[in-house]
Amino acid sequence: GNSVTQMEGPVTLSEEAFLTINCTYTATGYPSLFWYVQYPGEGLQLLLKATKADDKGSNKGFEATYRKETTSFHLEKGSVQVSDSAVYFCALTFTSGTYKYIFGTGTRLKVLA
Amino acid sequence: DGGITQSPKYLFRKEGQNVTLSCEQNLNHDAMYWYRQDPGQGLRLIYYSQIVNDFQKGDIAEGYSVSREKKESFPLTVTSAQKNPTAFYLCASDRGQSNEQFFGPGTRLTVL
């Protein structure tokens, strides 16, 4: 079946450190891939997305590249800030069928000043 | 401003009582979803609806019910049959076809 696997957290970094959060997926077909961010006590917000192989999504200094050969969509940021502390979810969906999303379990990021 | 509203933000109920969580969107989206989030876990799909007057069970529908009488509204009822209802509930909507999902702020339900 279809699934998304994220690295377990929490991830604790110092301000200005480099961030990588790993995400791999299993899918029958060619999904669209997403990263969402959730701040404490809030709903999820879209961070970035990619709809086909080799696409790079980017937003607010975060980037992720759709790698079909490794079925991965790792999230990266060159220099994190305290305000980036949140939970990050990797997700996939398809352009046909029921359009249901499949979410990873989330990775909590804590950035220390 | 367009968006999704959920009310109330915090809800307390006694065990054995049914409770209804509200979700309203003014984004003109056809599809709406209900998710449950437990501490340290991802989102699990309860119900979803792709069109008015139609909805489908998600992965954990037991003990929940929904209705979709209007495009803008997708209320979720947590019934007494739900064995462990205390959780954070998120409503979402989208235009379908792999488009971005928009989320409401969530309702935290605590059953005493």
Side-chain angles (χ1 to χ4, degrees):
Chain A
N2 302 310
S3 66
V4 174
T5 302
Q6 289 182 236
M7 63 186 289
E8 289 196 17
V11 174
T12 303
L13 296 173
S14 298
E15 207 166 22
E16 299 184 4
F18 185 87
L19 168 70
T20 300
I21 299 178
N22 291 338
C23 171
T24 57
Y25 67 90
T26 302
T28 51
Y30 303 99
S32 295
L33 302 175
F34 302 80
W35 277 102
Y36 284 83
V37 59
Q38 184 181 33
Y39 298 101
E42 298 183 7
L44 279 67
Q45 304 171 28
L46 178 69
L47 183 58
L48 53 84
K49 71 176 185 181
T51 57
K52 61 183 188 297
D54 300 324
D55 268 2
K56 177 186 282 189
S58 62
N59 185 26
K60 299 180 182 179
F62 291 90
E63 293 182 341
T65 301
Y66 190 139
R67 301 284 188 202
K68 183 182 168 187
E69 63 276 12
T70 54
T71 62
S72 64
F73 192 54
H74 303 322
L75 183 67
E76 297 182 335
K77 186 176 185 184
S79 176
V80 293
Q81 306 300 312
V82 172
S83 57
D84 294 326
S85 299
V87 181
Y88 293 82
F89 290 91
C90 186
L92 67 82
T93 190
F94 294 91
T95 56
S96 62
T98 61
Y99 314 133
K100 286 195 301 181
Y101 271 66
I102 297 171
F103 287 87
T105 53
T107 301
R108 180 175 299 278
L109 170 65
K110 185 173 182 180
V111 181
L112 304 176
Chain B
D1 287 337
I4 300 180
T5 56
Q6 290 186 244
S7 61
K9 189 162 182 66
Y10 299 95
L11 190 54
F12 297 88
R13 279 294 182 270
K14 291 183 178 179
E15 196 170 335
Q17 289 182 333
N18 291 356
V19 60
T20 297
L21 281 60
S22 168
C23 177
E24 303 278 332
Q25 56 101 357
N26 61 3
L27 300 166
N28 200 33
H29 286 168
D30 287 317
M32 297 187 74
Y33 308 78
W34 274 105
Y35 295 95
R36 171 180 171 139
Q37 186 177 24
D38 293 286
Q41 297 191 29
L43 279 65
R44 292 186 288 170
L45 182 64
I46 304 172
Y47 269 97
Y48 64 103
S49 167
Q50 292 180 274
I51 195 169
V52 174
N53 292 323
D54 188 40
F55 48 83
Q56 287 78 41
K57 293 181 178 180
D59 303 316
I60 56 165
E62 185 175 350
Y64 299 97
S65 66
V66 294
S67 63
R68 187 86 187 278
E69 298 176 0
K70 298 186 300 181
K71 188 175 186 177
E72 302 80 18
S73 179
F74 192 41
L76 173 74
T77 296
V78 184
T79 75
S80 56
Q82 168 50 232
K83 300 209 183 313
N84 185 19
T86 294
F88 189 52
Y89 291 87
L90 286 163
C91 180
S93 71
D94 67 37
R95 296 199 310 262
Q97 297 190 356
S98 79
N99 280 291
E100 166 191 1
Q101 283 201 337
F102 290 79
F103 285 81
T107 292
R108 186 167 299 281
L109 172 64
T110 301
V111 175
L112 306 171

